[in-house]
């Protein structure tokens, strides 16, 4: 339902060009009050959507973004990825008087620096793993020798979801520490037992409005084996985040985080994503992200029935948020299709076949790493497509998604064949 008083014919700008931004733009364009959605820079998938147009601008260039927003009379800017947030594009837009959904640079430091996030959690009593921060190799290696395996080594700054190594061998941990120290400070923290889940909420001036629960699949290969990636698939809802656990996460993590930002005098308007490990002692925070997850967004946008534009504009204006959101009762599941060599050495430039086959209302293909060459869509990033399906059960959503995947091909295409397995096992 559209909020009373919302202006018709609105023009919206979405910063980013990945699968998350394709899903956001697609959902925004469904609003009856939105006339046009501009994606900066977008991708071939967004360009093919009704009411969506791509702009060949750099999403991290605040000057370009502000100028374009003024010229196009943009009613709302939605910042998708982390890089423009940390770069302060939200700050520049706010100074220019342009409504924006996405935190300022100070708020985005919860994602921009894992050390900052850890001290924030300590200061405000949020549950998380014990850790140490290091800038010196000898000190880091000494810490590794004194602590049991497995152990987790993280790059402190942004690493596109790939700056994390869960080491089961001492040599693996030491190699990760040396590699990440070349980029800057590192975090070494205890390994937490349990099941991972993604809890995302809209946070606006202390208000917390949770989205439906979801679960990502970070490892490259089936059974959660292989290196960490930006995410190989996701589904929603997830049984691990049932009503009782979701209330506990709100009580122990999300509301204290929102209150902590207010206490720290850090204005925050945007998505706040808590990557959780849920074990016998309850939820603990693995990381905070200051935007929607990718590929969780693809599954969530398939299920969301509330008007996304009205919702985000309400938050950007500082108005009271609704108490709940309207969700499709069906499950959604997203399978990421990646290139040969991903995540370390992705092979690019291969033509993608099978994209034009009609999938029906229950399947949507979101573009992540694609471009066009001579009117042909080709691979242009490690994670290329997010094939997403709805189903009356998680099992049916999974079947529909994999049936759609079978129609798509390029040399070296790789994907996991067990997306959703934890939810199916619990069911």
């Amino acid at each position: 339902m559209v909020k009373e008083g919302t202006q018709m014919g609105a023009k919206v700008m979405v910063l980013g060009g990945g699968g998350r931004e394709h899903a956001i733009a697609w959902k925004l364009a469904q609003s009856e009050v939105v006339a046009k959605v501009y994606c900066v820079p977008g991708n071939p998938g967004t360009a093919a959507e009704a009411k969506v147009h791509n702009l060949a601008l750099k999403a991290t260039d605040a000057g370009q973004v502000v100028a374009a927003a003024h010229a196009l009379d943009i009613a709302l800017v939605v910042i998708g990825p982390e890089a423009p947030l940390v770069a302060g594009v939200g700050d520049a837009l706010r100074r220019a008087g342009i409504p924006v959904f996405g935190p300022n640079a100070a708020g985005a430091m919860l994602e921009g620096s894992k050390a900052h996030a850890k001290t924030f959690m300590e200061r405000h009593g949020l549950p998380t793993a014990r850790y140490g921060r290091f800038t010196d190799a000898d000190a880091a290696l000494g810490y590794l020798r004194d602590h049991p395996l497995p152990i987790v080594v993280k790059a402190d700054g942004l690493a596109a979801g790939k700056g994390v190594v869960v080491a089961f061998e001492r040599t693996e941990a030491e190699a990760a520490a040396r590699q990440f120290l070349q980029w800057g400070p590192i975090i070494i923290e205890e390994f937490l037992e349990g099941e991972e889940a993604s809890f995302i909420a809209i946070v606006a001036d202390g208000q917390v409005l949770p989205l439906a629960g979801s679960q990502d699949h970070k490892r490259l290969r089936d059974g959660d084996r292989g290196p960490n990636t930006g995410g190989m698939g996701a589904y929603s809802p997830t049984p691990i985040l049932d009503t009782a656990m979701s209330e506990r996460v709100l009580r122990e993590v999300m509301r204290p985080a929102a209150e902590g930002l207010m206490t720290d005098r850090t204005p925050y308007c945007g998505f706040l994503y808590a990557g959780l490990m849920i074990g016998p002692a309850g939820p603990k925070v693995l990381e905070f992200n200051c935007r929607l997850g990718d590929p969780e967004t693809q599954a969530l946008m398939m299920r969301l029935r509330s008007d996304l534009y009205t919702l985000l504009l309400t938050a950007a204006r500082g108005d009271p948020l609704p108490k709940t959101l309207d969700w499709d009762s069906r499950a959604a599941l997203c399978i990421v299709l990646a290139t040969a060599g991903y995540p370390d050495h992705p092979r690019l430039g291969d033509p993608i076949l099978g994209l034009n086959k009609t999938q029906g209302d229950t399947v949507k293909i979101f573009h992540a790493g694609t471009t066009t060459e001579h009117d042909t869509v080709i691979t242009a990033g490690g994670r290329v497509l997010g094939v997403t399906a709805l189903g009356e059960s998680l099992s049916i959503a999974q079947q529909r998604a994999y049936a759609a995947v079978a129609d798509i091909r390029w040399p070296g295409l790789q994907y996991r064949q067990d997306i959703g397995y934890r939810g199916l096992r619990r069911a």
Side-chain angles (χ1 to χ4, degrees), residues 201-210 250 254-263 266-270 272 315 318-321:
I202 293 172
V203 173
D205 296 327
Q207 301 180 85
V208 179
L209 176 59
L250 277 170
M254 303 307 290
R255 292 193 182 110
E259 291 165 5
L261 287 162
M262 297 289 284
T263 300
T266 303
Y268 195 100
C269 175
L272 184 61
D319 294 338
L321 295 173

Side-chain angles (χ1 to χ4, degrees), residues 151-154 162-167 172-173 176 179-180 219 228:
I151 199 163
V152 183
V153 183
K154 298 180 176 181
K162 290 172 280 190
V164 178
V165 169
V166 180
E172 182 185 16
Q179 178 188 356
F180 293 165
R219 296 299 188 107
N228 269 339

Side-chain angles (χ1 to χ4, degrees), residues 68-94:
H70 275 312
L72 295 168
D73 193 25
I74 296 296
L76 176 69
V77 177
V78 180
I79 303 178
E82 59 272 27
L85 294 170
V86 174
V89 174
D91 303 67
L93 287 162
R94 289 184 174 94

Side-chain angles (χ1 to χ4, degrees), residues 56-232:
L57 304 175
K58 191 174 181 181
T60 54
D61 188 321
Q64 286 188 351
V65 170
V66 169
H70 275 312
L72 295 168
D73 193 25
I74 296 296
L76 176 69
V77 177
V78 180
I79 303 178
E82 59 272 27
L85 294 170
V86 174
V89 174
D91 303 67
L93 287 162
R94 289 184 174 94
R95 286 194 298 269
I98 300 166
V100 56
F101 185 84
N104 59 21
M109 283 302 290
L110 280 177
E111 179 170 4
S113 168
K114 293 180 176 63
H116 173 83
K118 281 290 194 179
T119 57
F120 174 86
M121 287 186 269
E122 286 179 326
R123 190 164 60 250
H124 298 293
L126 278 64
T128 189
R130 296 186 296 270
Y131 76 103
R133 177 185 181 274
F134 303 93
T135 58
D136 174 75
D138 290 338
L141 298 180
Y143 187 90
L144 289 172
R145 286 191 295 269
D146 293 339
H147 288 77
L149 295 171
I151 199 163
V152 183
V153 183
K154 298 180 176 181
D156 181 52
L158 298 178
K162 290 172 280 190
V164 178
V165 169
V166 180
F168 290 84
E169 301 289 341
R170 194 78 58 190
T171 53
E172 182 185 16
E174 292 173 350
R178 288 191 178 95
Q179 178 188 356
F180 293 165
L181 279 167
Q182 297 177 45
W183 307 343
I186 65 170
I187 297 293
I188 302 175
E189 65 181 24
E190 68 171 323
F191 175 78
L192 298 176
E193 296 281 358
E195 185 172 337
E196 288 192 48
S198 303
F199 196 101
I200 306 171
I202 293 172
V203 173
D205 296 327
Q207 301 180 85
V208 179
L209 176 59
L211 276 59
S214 57
Q215 190 171 64
D216 189 10
H217 299 61
K218 282 292 185 187
R219 296 299 188 107
L220 179 67
R221 302 187 185 93
D222 290 2
D224 294 324
R225 297 189 300 271
N228 269 339
T229 71
M232 294 301 294

